[in-house]
Amino acid sequence: MIKPKTVKVSLPDDAACIESLSVLSGFRADFYDCLTSRGDALFELTDALLCADGPVKSLVDPTLTAEHRRGHGALYDGLNRGRFDVDRLRVSLAGLPVPRTGDGRIVLAVDVSPWLRSDAPTSAERLFCHVYGRAKSASQFIPGWPYSFVVALESGRTSWTSILDAIRLGPADDTTAVTADQLRSVVERLITAGHWADGDPDILIVMDAGYDVTRLAYVLADLPLEVLGRIRSDRVLRLPKPARTPGTNGRPPKHGPEFALAKPATWPESAHTTTTETGRYGTATARSWDRVHPRLTHRTCWLDHDGELPVIEGTLIRLKFDHLPGDRHPDPVWLWSSATGATAPDIDRWWRSYLRRFDLEHTFRLFKQTLGWTRPKTRTPEAADRWTWIVVAAHTQLRLARPLVEDLRRPWEKPAAPGRLTPARVRRGFRNIRPATTLPAGAPKPGKPGPGRPPGSKNRRPATRYDVGKTVKRDLTMAYHQDRRG
């Protein structure tokens, strides 16, 4: 095996680089302490993932690097039998520097990315994952493990995000309830770490379509945050109820007139209209309406709600661009924010923050195409969780090493501006700064491989096969709930 050549790079001795190296070394030490079993094997696997040349195409590829001093058996043993203190790792991630916008606000994004396992009938807890563009641009449902990620977004065009949490959605999980608990835990950890205090701007959470944004706004109303999400263009919302005139008899209305997103005739005069010239999309026109809310019913996540359903008012935004790259004419985007009484600068800040949500797609692409997140053919979901957290820890170290790495560009690549290296190019130079960081993993002990299965013997214990999809249903029917409320 030809060992890769290591280039000795002298790190700058300025205060910023010394601080970055200290933060990186501290996180590496904390990450090693989170590995409560098979820690040396899992830590060296993470280093090998960071120092491998090119994309990871199989699970054993990192074992061929010089940073992985153990055999491939230790790798499988660590993934299958190792143990993580995940709660401690989450606290460590929340304690790292968090990116902020120009006004000092923290912007979080939440999204689900699937680890597709259509060829793994012996793997438990698989769900049907909604996937786009795999068959003539049509959507499909493919078995796999969906993971929900929460990241902190940076301002401006970038491919970097700060991952704060990851959780696998199981067959018995309610997506809205799990997302609400996940966001609550992340925000509480950020507050405990001192990233938010009284008087600071509220934390903004952005999400794409597919989430019940009004339900999340209702459940998380006690936290200092705003919820912004895209809604479908065929929704029908409600305007605020009109003022009651004197002498009117009967029960006062709870909702105002309908606001059909697909019917401009139902749109009243907008509260604010802003136009912004952009470099990639032409003129961006945003119209907003205040105190627009959906009409809730006792269905889906509101089925178990006792008493009268609330009226959750917010700000509705219609965002329209002139064109997309490639001279495509986009459809308007509808956004809903949990905040009311917004000003024109708030509208611009919201839709710009929503566009930054797509930086998370760059992170998913790096995970799958470069770091090999979905490459292993692990059988158990517990092993998949361990590998996912290894990839998260590797990505975090790349982010912390960004100010320290020198650009080792290929001859055909354009030079990158200072501080503008992509995660893949930072990974290219991570091997050179690794010796200057903390190396807590111990040397491997001498040993020899086990005998394995005797030749000619057959496996008389076939693996259990599992069904795909949700396995838990509601104990009570909708008719029972309606009778109980009536």
Side-chain angles (χ1 to χ4, degrees):
M1 181 183 65
I2 301 177
K3 294 184 178 181
K5 182 179 179 181
T6 302
V7 181
K8 293 184 178 180
V9 178
S10 58
L11 298 178
D13 56 356
D14 57 281
C17 289
I18 294 177
E19 177 66 19
S20 299
L21 183 61
S22 175
V23 174
L24 175 59
S25 298
F27 175 76
R28 287 170 62 86
D30 292 341
F31 173 62
Y32 181 77
D33 293 337
C34 296
L35 307 175
T36 57
S37 179
R38 272 81 172 182
D40 293 338
L42 293 175
F43 189 87
E44 287 195 354
L45 173 60
T46 309
D47 275 0
L49 188 65
L50 289 167
C51 300
D53 292 331
V56 176
K57 297 183 178 181
S58 66
L59 185 57
V60 295
D61 281 351
T63 63
L64 302 179
T65 62
E67 289 75 16
H68 195 278
R69 298 174 294 179
R70 291 164 171 80
H72 65 278
L75 180 149
Y76 288 107
D77 185 63
L79 285 182
N80 294 327
R81 301 182 180 276
R83 287 196 298 270
F84 266 90
D85 189 350
V86 179
D87 293 336
R88 180 173 180 176
L89 183 56
R90 289 188 174 110
V91 173
S92 179
L93 292 174
L96 296 175
V98 177
R100 299 173 182 266
T101 58
D103 59 350
R105 187 185 306 270
I106 298 177
V107 180
L108 304 181
V110 57
D111 202 357
V112 175
S113 183
W115 181 342
L116 301 181
R117 294 305 310 276
S118 58
D119 55 346
T122 59
S123 295
E125 301 183 12
R126 292 182 302 158
L127 297 177
F128 286 106
C129 304
H130 198 188
V131 182
Y132 293 93
R134 293 180 62 89
K136 296 183 181 180
S137 299
S139 58
Q140 290 180 317
F141 287 93
I142 299 178
W145 289 314
Y147 280 84
S148 175
F149 291 87
V150 177
V151 304
L153 302 177
E154 298 186 0
S155 58
R157 294 175 57 185
T158 179
S159 57
W160 288 96
T161 59
S162 176
I163 303 178
L164 299 175
D165 194 19
I167 186 172
R168 178 174 48 83
L169 303 177
D173 291 336
D174 185 315
T175 303
T176 303
V178 172
T179 303
D181 294 339
Q182 185 182 23
L183 291 173
R184 178 178 296 276
S185 300
V186 170
V187 172
E188 289 177 351
R189 287 195 294 268
L190 291 177
I191 295 175
T192 303
H195 294 296
W196 187 91
D198 293 336
D200 293 343
D202 289 344
I203 299 174
L204 178 62
I205 299 178
V206 296
M207 59 194 68
D208 205 7
Y211 289 94
D212 194 333
V213 60
T214 54
R215 174 68 178 182
L216 293 175
Y218 176 78
V219 175
L220 303 175
D222 58 321
L223 296 176
L225 53 84
E226 302 172 357
V227 180
L228 175 68
R230 183 168 70 93
I231 59 178
R232 293 177 49 170
S233 58
D234 58 353
R235 291 284 300 273
V236 177
L237 304 180
R238 292 282 182 163
L239 295 170
K241 62 181 180 180
R244 189 174 178 84
T245 58
T248 304
N249 299 324
R251 182 180 180 181
K254 186 177 180 181
H255 308 280
E258 288 187 349
F259 190 114
L261 306 189
K263 298 179 181 179
T266 62
W267 303 351
E269 183 180 357
S270 57
H272 299 284
T273 301
T274 63
T275 57
T276 306
E277 295 295 332
T278 63
R280 291 173 57 86
Y281 312 112
T283 303
T285 304
R287 300 177 61 187
S288 66
W289 294 267
D290 195 22
R291 298 181 59 193
V292 181
H293 61 274
R295 183 173 182 176
L296 304 178
T297 58
H298 284 92
R299 295 177 181 271
T300 61
C301 56
W302 298 98
L303 182 62
D304 299 327
H305 185 83
D306 295 328
E308 188 178 4
L309 292 172
V311 176
I312 307 175
E313 295 182 336
T315 302
L316 181 66
I317 304 171
R318 183 182 184 269
L319 180 61
K320 176 65 176 178
F321 293 103
D322 284 346
H323 59 81
L324 292 178
D327 293 333
R328 292 179 297 167
H329 297 284
D331 296 329
V333 177
W334 292 91
L335 306 175
W336 187 89
S337 172
S338 61
T340 57
T343 61
D346 293 332
I347 304 301
D348 285 340
R349 173 173 58 84
W350 284 338
W351 70 258
R352 290 178 183 275
S353 298
Y354 172 76
L355 294 185
R356 294 271 59 83
R357 190 210 69 82
F358 292 96
D359 296 340
L360 184 54
E361 304 297 336
H362 294 283
T363 301
F364 291 155
R365 183 178 181 180
L366 177 77
F367 273 24
K368 297 180 178 180
Q369 297 187 6
T370 303
L371 300 181
W373 173 43
T374 58
R375 289 290 184 174
K377 303 298 182 182
T378 57
R379 173 175 294 180
T380 63
E382 293 78 15
D385 294 343
R386 297 184 191 102
W387 175 250
T388 300
W389 279 108
I390 286 176
V391 175
V392 170
H395 181 270
T396 302
Q397 294 184 54
L398 291 178
R399 180 173 62 88
L400 298 178
R402 183 167 34 162
L404 306 172
V405 174
E406 183 179 350
D407 185 15
L408 304 178
R409 66 182 183 91
R410 305 291 190 239
W412 55 86
E413 294 177 343
K414 296 181 180 180
R420 298 292 298 176
L421 290 180
T422 62
R425 291 171 79 160
V426 171
R427 177 174 177 258
R428 194 179 298 166
F430 189 87
R431 173 182 283 118
N432 300 324
I433 67 170
R434 175 180 173 272
T437 63
T438 302
L439 302 174
K445 298 179 181 179
K448 60 181 180 179
R453 184 183 301 170
S457 63
K458 297 181 179 180
N459 182 14
R460 301 186 183 277
R461 294 183 179 179
T464 305
R465 292 176 175 264
Y466 300 92
D467 295 331
V468 184
K470 293 290 185 179
T471 58
V472 176
K473 299 181 180 180
R474 294 184 182 271
D475 297 333
L476 304 177
T477 62
M478 290 184 59
Y480 176 85
H481 284 276
Q482 292 174 358
D483 295 340
R484 179 172 60 86
R485 288 191 301 269

